[in-house]
Amino acid sequence: MGEFAFGRFIESVGEVIDVLGVVAIVVGVLYASVDAAFRGLRRRSPVYTRFRRVLGRAILLGLELLVAADIIKTVAVTPTLESVGVLAIIVLIRTFLSWSLELEISGRWPWQKRAGAGEAEPGDSDPAEAAGARPTTA
């Protein structure tokens, strides 16, 4: 495989990961919307906070895939000083967006400790359900 063929292959891999990032966001939007609609119709709460959390997680996953695709396409295919500089700016912007979304979803920065095993995530209606406990019958 020649250098040109290898570069073309790597670029194609980056394009596939780009598409996967967009698909992750679109599927996440659809899933969050359908989930919120069913929760609203069944009057199960929380509707809004769960919608935001599910949507935010889908966007985070999509952003991570898009950053990976940009890194692959920029560094592996055209590692010029200009392209690396543009990549650095894109990664900084997407990292800021990811951190902001993480703060919105979980109520803490990514480097802060997670809640204990028995504690609920923000927006969960039932702490026992959030901890994985099943209801028991007497």
Side-chain angles (χ1 to χ4, degrees):
M1 194 187 295
E3 187 176 322
F4 177 75
F6 179 73
R8 193 64 210 126
F9 172 74
I10 294 298
E11 193 170 321
S12 296
V13 169
E15 293 295 328
V16 168
I17 295 173
D18 253 343
V19 169
L20 289 175
V22 172
V23 167
I25 294 171
V26 170
V27 168
V29 168
L30 294 174
Y31 176 78
S33 299
V34 169
D35 181 58
F38 280 125
R39 283 181 161 272
L41 290 173
R42 293 180 181 161
R43 301 195 188 289
R44 290 185 62 202
S45 57
V47 175
Y48 178 69
T49 55
R50 181 174 164 90
F51 174 78
R52 282 185 49 155
R53 188 173 63 239
V54 170
L55 181 62
R57 287 179 179 158
I59 293 171
L60 277 173
L61 177 61
L63 280 174
E64 295 296 330
L65 289 168
L66 291 170
V67 166
D70 284 342
I71 290 170
I72 289 169
K73 291 187 301 186
T74 302
V75 175
V77 178
T78 56
T80 64
L81 188 57
E82 183 180 341
S83 65
V84 171
V86 169
L87 174 65
I89 292 169
I90 289 170
V91 169
L92 281 173
I93 292 168
R94 289 187 177 162
T95 300
F96 174 76
L97 288 172
S98 293
W99 284 356
S100 299
L101 283 168
E102 181 66 33
L103 182 62
E104 283 291 318
I105 293 168
S106 67
R108 64 183 170 274
W109 292 105
W111 55 83
Q112 290 178 322
K113 291 183 179 181
R114 292 199 169 272
E119 297 178 34
E121 289 287 322
D124 286 334
S125 60
D126 183 6
E129 181 183 343
R134 297 231 187 264
T136 58
T137 55

